[in-house]
Amino acid sequence: MQTQITIVGAGAAGLFCAGLLGQKGHRVTVIDNGKKPGRKILMSGGGKCNFTNLDMDAHHYISENRHFCKSALKRFNQWDFIQLVNQYHIAYHEKDHGQLFCDNSAKDIVDMLLSECQKGKVNLMMQTQLEDVEAVEDGFKLQTSQGMMSCQNLIIATGGLSMPALGMTSIGYKVAEKFSIPIVPVKAGLVPFTLHKPLLDVLSQLSGIAIPVEVTYERMQFKENLLFTHRGLSGPAILQISNYWRVGEPITINLLPDMTFESSFKPLLEKNRNQTLKNCLAQILPKRVVEALIQLDMITDITVKQLNLHQQQRLFDTLTKWHIVPNGTEGYRTAEVTLGGVSTDALSSKTMAAKSQPNLYFIGEVMDVTGWLGGYNFQWAWSSAFACAKALDEKTVSHQC
């Protein structure tokens, strides 16, 4: 089977790129090892798909080259994708921090992408595994589970290693390595922390409780919810900081992110000086969390009036500067993204093309560009796919001329 353009991966980046190219008149085939396209989209955002963010900037991304994403994000931004969503009359709403979610279902986004592919007469081949690739004079030969294929241009949109239950594999990295394109070491990102015992024994009893916190690691800070789990800590604040955390190092949790000692904490103690400390703190923290802190000997269950000013300040510091050294992370099984990937030094930031191998492109999560939680990784999928499609179309037109 011969085609002009083959895209490996029927996820967000692959489907969007295919639709753009197909509607420009290119013969496009998308291959994917799964049964259904857009599997990760369907799972995202609790089934509602956080498809972009109103606040979009390069500082929301992690990469060895922090400038790499700027060009693509500028040329196809959040408003461009929102315009497409509006064209399909997909209802959506804004949550905290500018996050946009579908009102109905993530399936609306998948259906939109598939409709765009249908308009472009894209050939979609599911349950087709890429096994090997070879560069030839006029493009590439692909060995797949459905037989040999050939194409003039090859786009790798295979994603990372997160959520292996959805069929994610390392094939994208293997293709890069085949053509001597370096890989930035990969690891799980946007992922919950596990905890050491005996801390886990105490905090696991709080499983299901979510509280607003501010989590700090080195110079990074995120003020969002923390969720206690059976295995450790999760929630948006933890997922965000996990992208920056290094094994063996502590994170700092502020359990009272909206309080200061002088203006709010000290007056609270003075107002409730005849209460037990446990009951007083239960006004600003869940009672079970307070009980866990007592169990951990972080606070003592005495009456408030037994605390002098110095002890009040120390108590405040204990609650706002809780140092925890995570045991590790839950790994790719529950990670939302993969940090690292195909080195951006080996790619053009304008076209997503490999510098050392003609007609080979990488888009989306397979690259060393990782966004924060909040729609940033989907926007990178849309932006990098657009940059690639535009470059390929312009290249083809110029060759024809």
Side-chain angles (χ1 to χ4, degrees):
M1 176 183 171
Q2 187 168 10
T3 186
Q4 185 183 3
I5 300 167
T6 294
I7 299 176
V8 185
L15 291 176
F16 188 52
C17 192
L20 291 169
L21 286 165
Q23 291 179 54
K24 287 291 187 178
H26 301 283
R27 289 182 291 109
V28 182
T29 294
V30 178
I31 67 171
D32 191 284
N33 65 345
K35 290 182 181 179
K36 293 180 179 180
R39 289 161 292 168
K40 200 169 179 182
I41 300 173
L42 293 171
M43 292 281 290
S44 68
K48 299 286 187 179
C49 186
N50 178 194
F51 56 84
T52 192
N53 196 295
L54 295 177
D55 179 21
M56 190 62 56
D57 192 83
H59 83 269
H60 295 114
Y61 292 87
I62 301 166
S63 174
E64 284 198 346
N65 178 357
R66 60 191 179 90
H67 300 292
F68 182 86
C69 64
K70 291 180 178 178
S71 174
L73 291 173
K74 185 177 181 181
R75 286 183 292 139
F76 188 87
N77 60 33
Q78 68 272 38
W79 307 111
D80 296 314
F81 192 76
I82 290 168
Q83 185 178 19
L84 179 63
V85 169
N86 288 335
Q87 285 174 21
Y88 278 81
H89 306 290
I90 296 173
Y92 61 88
H93 57 277
E94 179 185 352
K95 284 193 177 180
D96 295 341
H97 310 291
Q99 303 170 58
L100 299 188
F101 288 80
C102 297
D103 282 359
N104 179 33
S105 166
K107 188 173 182 294
D108 291 343
I109 298 296
V110 175
D111 289 346
M112 178 189 77
L113 296 173
L114 291 176
S115 179
E116 289 289 289
C117 286
Q118 195 172 25
K119 288 178 184 177
K121 299 178 181 177
V122 171
N123 178 28
L124 193 58
M125 293 177 61
M126 302 305 296
Q127 295 183 284
T128 304
Q129 175 74 50
L130 177 62
E131 296 171 349
D132 197 13
V133 58
E134 177 187 354
V136 292
E137 188 176 342
D138 57 348
F140 302 91
K141 279 189 177 179
L142 312 178
Q143 177 64 53
T144 78
S145 56
Q146 301 296 323
M148 291 295 295
M149 297 174 60
S150 61
C151 61
Q152 295 168 17
N153 300 278
L154 179 61
I155 301 171
I156 304 300
T158 50
L161 299 174
S162 55
M163 299 186 183
L166 297 180
M168 303 298 114
T169 72
S170 60
I171 187 63
Y173 309 134
K174 290 177 181 176
V175 171
E177 289 169 346
K178 177 98 180 195
F179 296 105
S180 301
I181 296 170
I183 303 292
V184 174
V186 297
K187 66 175 183 176
L190 296 179
V191 62
F193 286 140
T194 58
L195 297 175
H196 295 281
K197 289 189 173 190
L199 182 60
L200 176 61
D201 293 333
V202 176
L203 296 188
S204 63
Q205 299 171 40
L206 304 177
S207 181
I209 294 177
I211 56 173
V213 300
E214 186 173 71
V215 180
T216 303
Y217 174 75
E218 293 185 343
R219 284 179 290 178
M220 295 306 301
Q221 265 184 350
F222 293 98
K223 186 179 175 182
E224 295 192 58
N225 274 2
L226 175 151
L227 174 69
F228 295 98
T229 73
H230 287 298
R231 291 177 291 273
L233 304 175
S234 188
I238 294 299
L239 299 185
Q240 297 280 38
I241 213 73
S242 74
N243 277 353
Y244 298 90
W245 177 73
R246 288 192 293 272
V247 176
E249 298 195 2
I251 60 171
T252 302
I253 300 173
N254 179 354
L255 295 170
L256 308 175
D258 296 317
M259 298 189 80
T260 63
F261 180 73
E262 287 293 340
S263 67
S264 47
F265 190 72
K266 184 181 171 186
L268 173 75
L269 297 181
E270 290 172 353
K271 182 181 177 182
N272 299 279
R273 64 187 314 272
N274 291 320
Q275 285 193 13
T276 64
L277 192 53
K278 175 180 173 180
N279 288 338
C280 177
L281 294 178
Q283 297 179 44
I284 54 174
L285 288 170
K287 186 177 179 181
R288 286 171 58 196
V289 172
V290 176
E291 290 170 346
L293 297 175
I294 291 171
Q295 198 175 341
L296 292 169
D297 292 326
M298 291 174 62
I299 57 180
T300 307
D301 190 19
I302 56 177
T303 57
V304 175
K305 63 185 176 185
Q306 289 177 263
L307 297 173
N308 60 36
L309 185 61
H310 175 69
Q311 289 169 324
Q312 289 179 7
Q313 179 68 63
R314 228 170 58 194
L315 172 62
F316 183 75
D317 290 344
T318 296
L319 295 173
T320 58
K321 298 173 185 176
W322 185 13
H323 299 298
I324 289 178
V325 179
N327 180 40
T329 73
E330 291 189 8
Y332 292 117
R333 184 181 62 83
T334 56
E336 297 202 14
V337 294
T338 304
L339 289 157
V342 177
S343 174
T344 55
D345 288 344
L347 307 175
S348 163
S349 62
K350 185 179 180 182
T351 67
M352 307 297 134
K355 295 176 181 177
S356 61
Q357 180 59 51
N359 307 320
L360 177 62
Y361 301 80
F362 294 86
I363 58 176
E365 190 185 340
V366 72
M367 308 157 65
D368 174 36
V369 177
T370 304
W372 288 6
L373 186 73
Y376 298 105
N377 288 292
F378 274 125
Q379 185 58 48
W380 176 245
W382 319 135
S383 297
S384 59
F386 178 87
C388 175
K390 185 172 177 60
L392 240 173
D393 181 57
E394 289 175 350
K395 183 182 76 169
T396 304
V397 170
S398 67
H399 284 178
Q400 288 173 348
C401 295

